[in-house]
Amino acid sequence: MEKTFDLIVSHAKKTGFVFQGSEIYGGLSNTWDFGPYGVMLKDHIKRAWQKKFIQEDPNNVEIQAAILMNPRVWEASGHLAGFSDPLMDCKQCKTRHRADHLIVNFTNGEVNPEGWSNEQMEQFITEHHIPCPDCGAHDFTSIRKFNLMFKTFMGTLEDAKSTVYLRPETAQGMFVDFKNVQRAYRKKLPFGIGQIGKSFRNEITPGNFIFRTREFEQMEMEFFCQPGTDDDWFPYWRQFCMDWILSLGGNAENLRFRDHTPEELSFYSKGTTDIEYKFPWGWGELWGIADRTDYDLSQHMKFSGENLEYLDPVTNEKYVPYCVEPAVGVERLFFMFFTDAYDEETLASGDTRIVMHFHPVLAPVKAAILPLRKTYSDLAKEIRKDLSYDFECEYDESGSIGKRYRRQDEIGTPFCITVDEQTTVDGTVTIRYRDTMEQERLTVEEVRAKINQAIRF
Ligand code: GAP
């Protein structure tokens, strides 16, 4: 079975993981709302990140910085001057396009223009006579730079002095708070500051469902270390990210590392590797791991006038720490785990079942409590209440037991608990395993222990 883009998107919508944003008003282009199962999946992804990147790591801590930051932050970081996309307008149909995307799409991804100058891109588009994807004409304006930051105003005046920006990345919060965290928590290098939060980019060509949106959540960590040791920490974090994905059931065949070529490296980066995933349309960036050197802290020292150097208690030296950054978008991980989990199986009966093979840690609902007949409803509801103290449960009494199993398979619930006559006699229930469809009889306490074990991470 081919996991096409349409198949995955339609399953996400049909099962209520993701809805079109503002749908009853005709939508707002490329905005998506996450339904209850979608929120649960996102929360489990975030919790799994927090657990491994922060909680279990003795060096790392987490912050929540404000989304609106002093505009000088974006001058220092280079976003005001340089965070822009190369745009061309089609003079015939007046549509606007990213020059780099025109090239990538025209060559089916065989030519990657990252790092090219505007002149190089214009020349390639002219020489290859690349047409406008909307009207087919070849009549473009020259490239203009378009800044991707969303602007708004703070306070009652709408003038240049009150302009603020919605942050385009969470990372700058960690650089700006570096000294506060280091001092208040008496942190010694190496240590990381992580953050989960919304970022905003006025993307020119958002698309591919939740892959590229204008509002998204990032999970980023800035790992500060002594200059020179970044050469060890960079491969360490790169592998750590890949292992994290694999430990949550990511399919190794759909994942690869891709090192940035010197031409495509960001100006602040000494080395960058993307973990790429084979999305339904082809390979795309999932996670970026960059060696940002001392660029950001040095810039903030320059622009704020604050000394952000670190006094090494061992060598008594003062220096600006280097920084290795693993940065990922929650929605891209969502898309990846959702696509990998999707499966259609032909059963012995000849029926097809759609099943989401989520790792139990990620599955939105861990257990569905299903009374075999309505006479067992009260008992089943009690069991649901009791088990939901430990993990997410759902209660369902409508339709045949077979239909209820199918509904749970479609949202990836790893365990179905059936309450029947025997339960009223000895307190045992039937547990049915999603992937094998095998069943066994256990007490409620044994079920609780089994599920708690399966979701330990
Ligand atoms: N602080 C570095 C940084 O933000 P990035 O490569 O621009 O680097 C990091 O973004 C990650 O954030 C990407 O690998 C991707 O997972 C996610 N991301 C970036 N732009 C996005 C967008 N428009 N929609 C959804 N996710 C996005």
Side-chain angles (χ1 to χ4, degrees):
M1 173 242 341
E2 193 192 345
K3 296 185 193 178
T4 62
F5 179 73
D6 289 347
L7 184 75
I8 297 301
V9 174
S10 116
H11 190 66
K13 289 181 178 172
K14 192 183 88 186
T15 45
F17 279 73
V18 183
F19 306 117
Q20 160 87 65
S22 315
E23 192 168 331
I24 62 166
Y25 286 96
L28 175 68
S29 87
N30 285 102
T31 59
W32 302 100
D33 293 347
F34 288 84
Y37 297 138
V39 172
M40 287 157 123
L41 176 55
K42 267 182 121 183
D43 278 350
H44 296 158
I45 292 172
K46 289 188 271 185
R47 179 71 196 114
W49 181 89
Q50 218 169 26
K51 180 95 191 314
K52 295 296 168 191
F53 283 78
I54 308 286
Q55 182 180 323
E56 286 182 16
D57 191 307
N59 299 317
N60 300 344
V61 289
E62 190 181 356
I63 60 163
Q64 249 179 40
I67 287 175
L68 300 176
M69 302 182 82
N70 188 311
R72 296 268 292 156
V73 169
W74 309 114
E75 275 180 57
S77 67
H79 283 86
L80 263 177
F83 192 54
S84 50
D85 277 344
L87 285 195
M88 299 178 104
D89 287 345
C90 170
K91 290 191 207 158
Q92 297 294 321
C93 70
K94 313 288 179 222
T95 51
R96 189 160 280 183
H97 305 276
R98 266 179 69 167
D100 51 340
H101 285 185
L102 286 175
I103 296 172
V104 170
N105 294 338
F106 181 75
T107 61
N108 287 326
E110 274 170 31
V111 176
N112 180 357
E114 272 198 64
W116 287 15
S117 67
N118 288 352
E119 292 68 37
Q120 278 172 300
M121 285 191 272
E122 281 173 6
Q123 195 181 342
F124 190 93
I125 288 166
T126 308
E127 275 173 9
H128 293 80
H129 219 74
I130 297 182
C132 165
D134 287 289
C135 71
H138 176 77
D139 192 10
F140 292 110
T141 59
S142 344
I143 291 176
R144 279 172 303 110
K145 291 281 184 190
F146 176 83
N147 194 290
L148 296 184
M149 281 198 294
F150 275 101
K151 268 187 209 171
T152 186
F153 302 100
M154 198 151 173
T156 51
L157 292 177
E158 297 196 358
D159 60 16
K161 277 197 204 134
S162 54
T163 301
V164 287
Y165 301 90
L166 301 189
R167 68 179 174 201
E169 61 172 18
T170 59
Q172 295 306 320
M174 280 76 98
F175 296 120
V176 168
D177 284 343
F178 167 76
K179 200 85 202 176
N180 277 340
V181 172
Q182 194 263 316
R183 280 211 191 118
Y185 294 82
R186 300 179 311 283
K187 297 300 285 181
K188 292 198 177 69
L189 290 185
F191 72 93
I193 310 179
Q195 173 165 210
I196 301 178
K198 287 258 182 180
S199 293
F200 303 82
R201 296 182 189 178
N202 197 2
E203 300 276 6
I204 318 307
T205 45
N208 285 345
F209 192 38
I210 55 171
F211 177 80
R212 182 174 286 105
T213 49
R214 296 193 171 105
E215 172 186 344
F216 54 99
E217 272 187 286
Q218 288 188 306
M219 305 194 288
E220 299 196 279
M221 197 183 57
E222 308 308 317
F223 189 80
F224 299 100
C225 57
Q226 193 180 4
T229 62
D230 54 312
D231 293 333
D232 299 325
W233 286 113
F234 179 60
Y236 171 86
W237 285 112
R238 215 167 44 170
Q239 193 57 45
F240 192 92
C241 296
M242 180 64 97
D243 291 345
W244 182 89
I245 302 173
L246 296 175
S247 70
L248 287 167
N251 180 352
E253 284 178 13
N254 296 331
L255 292 159
R256 70 179 186 194
F257 287 116
R258 192 183 70 80
D259 294 333
H260 283 209
T261 59
E263 296 76 49
E264 60 180 307
L265 279 182
S266 307
F267 53 92
Y268 55 73
S269 174
K270 180 172 147 187
T272 297
T273 301
D274 289 341
I275 296 179
E276 293 190 331
Y277 177 70
K278 205 175 187 181
F279 288 96
W281 59 88
W283 291 99
E285 176 183 340
L286 181 67
W287 206 319
I289 301 100
D291 184 342
R292 295 180 74 125
T293 66
D294 59 358
Y295 176 80
D296 300 270
L297 287 181
S298 302
Q299 284 293 100
H300 287 303
M301 277 175 65
K302 217 185 288 169
F303 280 74
S304 68
E306 287 286 321
N307 186 358
L308 302 178
E309 284 175 313
Y310 173 77
L311 174 62
D312 195 312
V314 181
T315 62
N316 235 10
E317 264 179 287
K318 266 190 171 177
Y319 52 81
V320 181
Y322 266 40
C323 178
V324 174
E325 173 199 73
V328 69
V330 179
E331 289 80 1
R332 292 215 182 156
L333 286 170
F334 182 113
F335 202 156
M336 181 209 80
F337 285 123
F338 197 88
T339 309
D340 269 356
Y342 186 90
D343 197 13
E344 285 173 17
E345 291 174 2
T346 308
L347 304 177
S349 62
D351 290 347
T352 304
R353 82 162 177 152
I354 295 176
V355 54
M356 299 294 286
H357 293 288
F358 287 127
H359 189 294
V361 166
L362 297 182
V365 177
K366 311 301 183 198
I369 320 299
L370 316 171
L372 200 57
R373 285 210 300 274
K374 291 209 172 141
T375 31
Y376 313 122
S377 292
D378 289 346
L379 181 55
K381 282 178 187 167
E382 259 176 57
I383 294 172
R384 189 211 70 85
K385 187 166 180 236
D386 183 23
L387 290 179
S388 63
Y389 180 82
D390 283 45
F391 36 76
E392 294 88 349
C393 296
E394 193 167 272
Y395 173 83
D396 186 5
E397 60 175 25
S398 65
S400 71
I401 192 72
K403 279 213 176 96
R404 284 183 270 166
Y405 283 153
R406 290 289 166 276
R407 274 204 288 271
Q408 295 302 326
D409 288 343
E410 289 190 5
I411 62 162
T413 306
F415 306 101
C416 283
I417 316 296
T418 309
V419 178
D420 56 18
E421 184 58 26
Q422 187 76 21
T423 319
T424 65
V425 177
D426 62 8
T428 61
V429 291
T430 305
I431 181 167
R432 179 238 191 211
Y433 301 99
R434 176 196 65 201
D435 296 340
T436 59
M437 293 186 288
E438 280 168 9
Q439 303 189 8
E440 66 176 320
R441 234 179 146 100
L442 297 174
T443 66
V444 173
E445 283 321 304
E446 284 168 332
V447 163
R448 188 200 307 278
K450 198 170 249 298
I451 300 179
N452 273 330
Q453 185 58 34
I455 60 175
R456 259 178 80 90
F457 180 68

